Amino acid sequence: MSVDSAIKPNLDRIQKPDPTCIVIFGASGDLTHRKLVPALHSLCCAELLPDDFIIIGVARSDLSNESFRERMREGVDKFARLTGERCGDWDTFAPRLYYHRLDYHEPEDYQALADYLDSKEAEYGLPHNLLFYLSTPPILYKTIIQQLGAVGLSRPKGEFTRIVVEKPFGTDLASAHDLNLCVHSAFDEDQIYRIDHYLGKETVQNIMVFRFANLIFEPVWNRRYIDHVQISVLETVDVGRRGGYFDHAGVLRDMFQNHLMQLVALTAMEPPTAWDATLLRDEKVKVLRALRPPENGALRTNTVRAQYRSLDGKGATYRKENGVGPQSETPTYAALELYIDNWRWQGVPFYLRSGKSLKKKMTEVVIQFKEVPHMLFNMGIEANVIPNQLSFCLQPDEGFQLAFQTKQPGAGMRTDSVDMSFNFATQFGEKALPEAYERLLLDALLGDASLFARADEIENSWRIIDAIQQGWDRGDGPPLGFYKPGSWGPAAADVMLNANGHRWCASCAD
Ligand code: BG6
């Protein structure tokens, strides 16, 4: 596949969305500038946007269309996958960007928005298809949803009206349930697209293709052959300017409830019978329902929580970050040992870890297979047999590798562990992988909710996180540990695995 065909994919095989008006609430915020408009622009470059579209940014600030466009242009230049010489489409794209001021708490402003949309749709001859995107602070979600319902904007006037809801979707099970009730009071479930940007990552989708488009792995994908599974989402960044938000959320809510739970579900689910949003999400929900949070004594042995802290002043200390209390107990790192109570996975540990300010940015899923039942080779002290290991490198070096044994050349029958690897960039070109938001925005425009979370999926994953968080809040968890910024995390996370004779891998960082 050439680089150009990766950028402008074969449109015979990819449906183009119907003409649509896209309305982004929170248009003056960071996400719109860094992710949403750059992604829409790249879709435009790739000729994947509808033939007719307009994008209306909505927020409280007083901005003209021109100043909004200028700000968005900076975002595109800085953050878009396809920019400048690869795509000269700014001049076709920019005139379709508009800004509309709205006070989120003012009911009359929503009627004014409805009138504005009518006039813009008439001007462009658009058929009343609407995609709303909530990218405001989450505290405003309920107000916006209720007001959209009140002025009738949630009911389709054309082929469709859909709403995309950014994460976080609630802060615990009760608030997520409450938000689901609110959104269902104005929109039907099939109009709602709850975003988890990890599902938009090509390599995350590839877990499903790898498992279900190949014959050879599925027969061994179970407790008989798999010893344990590791899922690591490690980040080098610290909380930076997000201290105020993070100190309330903590790593469990920020990373585990959404991204890590999705990775567990995709790795562990049964094959759906078709590529269909309902069937796929049914299978994920079954995994989440079967996932058992550690209880009682296991909260101490099977969970780890820690904060980054620099003792020599050479790195950042979480408690000194802006917006963070000097006595904060909020973990910036957690590791969990979880079990799935079903026939496929009974007794197989799923080790999960995620943290900020670590040594490497690395997201990987490692399937550690069991040892062969009887080893013929490497008898004696030189034994060097490492069981098979399959690593999905989700980012930054996207690809996968399979470690297996081979014969060392020469006399005797000594074996060595070697890798069979595949790398996306080498195979398909550096720019071939679309940004997660490109894929998700396109799917929302097309009406494919397969890569979005359903109400029951969100609530079931909050059930697990709540059980752990509440246990920690009661004081039943392990003591809060500390780790050096730039390290691999706290020693307690190693101890947790060592207790089962295991150790963390970082296959994708090697
Ligand atoms: C977000 C979290 O959902 O994901 C951030 O709120 C985190 O704290 C980010 O840094 C990580 O995303 P990615 O795509 O860089 O792995």
Side-chain angles (χ1 to χ4, degrees):
M1 189 191 210
S2 73
V3 172
D4 275 353
S5 60
I7 290 169
K8 297 202 175 181
N10 182 353
L11 293 180
D12 298 344
R13 291 163 53 207
I14 299 178
Q15 201 194 335
K16 256 186 157 192
D18 290 334
T20 307
C21 170
I22 302 166
V23 182
I24 303 175
F25 291 96
S28 53
D30 232 29
L31 187 76
T32 308
H33 167 248
R34 294 170 72 96
K35 296 286 183 189
L36 303 182
V37 171
L40 287 165
H41 181 259
S42 291
L43 285 174
C44 178
C45 295
E47 294 170 14
L48 286 169
L49 278 191
D51 291 333
D52 262 319
F53 69 91
I54 50 172
I55 300 166
I56 299 177
V58 174
R60 256 186 301 231
S61 324
D62 244 332
L63 289 179
S64 64
N65 288 333
E66 282 63 38
S67 52
F68 179 60
R69 286 171 191 157
E70 204 32 57
R71 187 168 150 72
M72 294 306 117
R73 167 140 217 178
E74 283 163 24
V76 166
D77 285 346
K78 221 159 151 191
F79 303 112
R81 179 175 63 109
L82 307 179
T83 50
E85 67 218 40
R86 302 193 85 120
C87 167
D89 277 354
W90 179 253
D91 294 340
T92 17
F93 183 78
R96 289 170 177 271
L97 272 178
Y98 291 92
Y99 183 78
H100 182 83
R101 195 193 163 278
L102 172 141
D103 180 341
Y104 294 114
H105 296 287
E106 192 50 72
E108 282 169 16
D109 281 13
Y110 290 84
Q111 191 49 58
L113 174 66
D115 297 341
Y116 179 71
L117 294 180
D118 279 345
S119 74
K120 280 287 158 213
E121 283 169 340
E123 183 184 332
Y124 282 87
L126 292 171
H128 302 296
N129 296 333
L130 281 173
L131 181 73
F132 293 114
Y133 199 114
L134 295 192
S135 144
T136 60
I139 188 125
L140 294 170
Y141 290 174
K142 280 171 70 178
T143 308
I144 299 171
I145 291 163
Q146 283 158 355
Q147 295 299 336
L148 290 177
V151 296
L153 275 173
S154 59
R155 292 286 133 228
K157 275 212 287 180
E159 286 289 310
F160 63 82
T161 291
R162 301 185 185 123
I163 185 162
V164 181
V165 186
E166 250 308 322
K167 72 164 271 260
F169 198 93
T171 53
D172 56 15
L173 175 56
S175 57
H177 183 66
D178 188 46
L179 184 54
N180 273 329
L181 289 179
C182 171
V183 79
H184 285 148
S185 70
F187 293 88
D188 295 333
E189 179 61 32
D190 65 4
Q191 295 178 276
I192 307 164
Y193 291 69
R194 298 174 193 78
I195 274 226
D196 182 326
H197 78 278
Y198 266 56
L199 291 176
K201 292 181 191 276
E202 287 284 318
T203 46
V204 172
Q205 294 155 33
N206 192 48
I207 296 175
M208 292 181 277
V209 174
F210 189 95
R211 289 189 57 197
F212 305 133
N214 294 300
L215 181 74
I216 59 176
F217 300 105
E218 213 36 39
V220 294
W221 211 262
N222 56 53
R223 64 191 299 273
R224 278 189 296 285
Y225 298 96
I226 293 180
D227 186 67
H228 67 271
V229 175
Q230 298 187 13
I231 301 181
S232 301
V233 183
L234 311 184
E235 297 187 273
T236 49
V237 289
D238 52 33
V239 299
R241 290 187 297 142
R242 299 168 75 224
Y245 149 76
F246 196 90
D247 210 36
H248 286 108
V251 69
L252 275 192
R253 295 189 181 96
D254 186 52
M255 297 297 288
F256 282 73
Q257 180 273 330
N258 36 64
H259 312 324
L260 279 101
M261 287 297 146
Q262 286 292 340
L263 294 176
V264 172
L266 294 177
T267 307
M269 72 184 183
E270 297 300 315
T273 49
W275 179 255
D276 166 277
T278 303
L279 299 174
L280 174 63
R281 295 186 297 178
D282 284 350
E283 295 306 336
K284 286 199 286 169
V285 169
K286 285 185 207 162
V287 173
L288 295 171
R289 291 176 69 129
L291 205 53
R292 172 171 25 109
E295 285 170 344
N296 307 322
L299 261 175
R300 270 184 196 278
T301 52
N302 294 10
T303 71
V304 171
R305 56 197 188 111
Q307 261 178 16
Y308 58 85
R309 179 171 73 178
S310 164
L311 292 177
D312 55 12
K314 286 201 183 130
T317 290
Y318 177 66
R319 288 178 178 174
K320 293 189 183 157
E321 302 279 18
N322 273 340
V324 175
Q327 308 291 327
S328 170
E329 289 277 303
T330 302
T332 57
Y333 177 103
L336 308 176
E337 176 179 339
L338 299 178
Y339 291 86
I340 299 174
D341 285 331
N342 65 18
W343 276 48
R344 191 190 275 262
W345 295 113
Q346 194 58 235
V348 177
F350 277 68
Y351 299 118
L352 276 48
R353 63 174 168 164
S354 179
K356 304 248 179 255
S357 208
L358 295 168
K359 192 178 181 73
K360 288 237 160 133
K361 179 163 176 74
M362 184 199 77
T363 304
E364 68 174 20
V365 175
V366 175
I367 311 294
Q368 178 62 64
F369 290 94
K370 293 188 172 178
E371 289 176 6
V372 292
H374 171 60
M375 192 56 177
L376 307 184
F377 316 112
N378 288 329
M379 312 300 280
I381 50 166
E382 287 187 37
N384 175 30
V385 182
I386 300 166
N388 296 121
Q389 195 180 71
L390 174 65
S391 310
F392 293 95
C393 304
L394 304 180
Q395 61 186 17
D397 246 343
E398 291 88 351
F400 49 77
Q401 58 201 45
L402 177 65
F404 62 100
Q405 294 290 312
T406 190
K407 183 182 176 310
Q408 276 188 22
M413 293 300 284
R414 283 197 303 178
T415 69
D416 214 348
S417 186
V418 293
D419 283 338
M420 203 149 68
S421 21
F422 159 80
N423 180 278
F424 274 94
T426 315
Q427 180 75 20
F428 296 112
E430 284 295 337
K431 290 273 175 185
L433 288 181
E435 277 288 313
Y437 278 95
E438 291 177 40
R439 171 64 193 247
L440 294 174
L441 280 161
L442 179 62
D443 281 6
L445 285 164
L446 288 168
D448 183 351
S450 306
L451 301 176
F452 294 83
R454 207 168 58 189
D456 51 352
E457 208 174 330
I458 295 265
E459 292 188 19
N460 272 292
S461 84
W462 273 121
R463 179 184 64 83
I464 318 287
I465 299 307
D466 272 13
I468 299 168
Q469 185 67 53
Q470 287 165 9
W472 286 356
D473 293 345
R474 279 195 310 270
D476 293 345
L480 180 74
F482 295 93
Y483 59 99
K484 207 170 131 201
S487 69
W488 286 108
D494 299 327
V495 173
M496 184 175 91
L497 265 68
N498 295 162
N500 297 340
H502 298 144
R503 62 186 188 86
W504 291 107
C505 328
S507 326
C508 300
D510 295 341

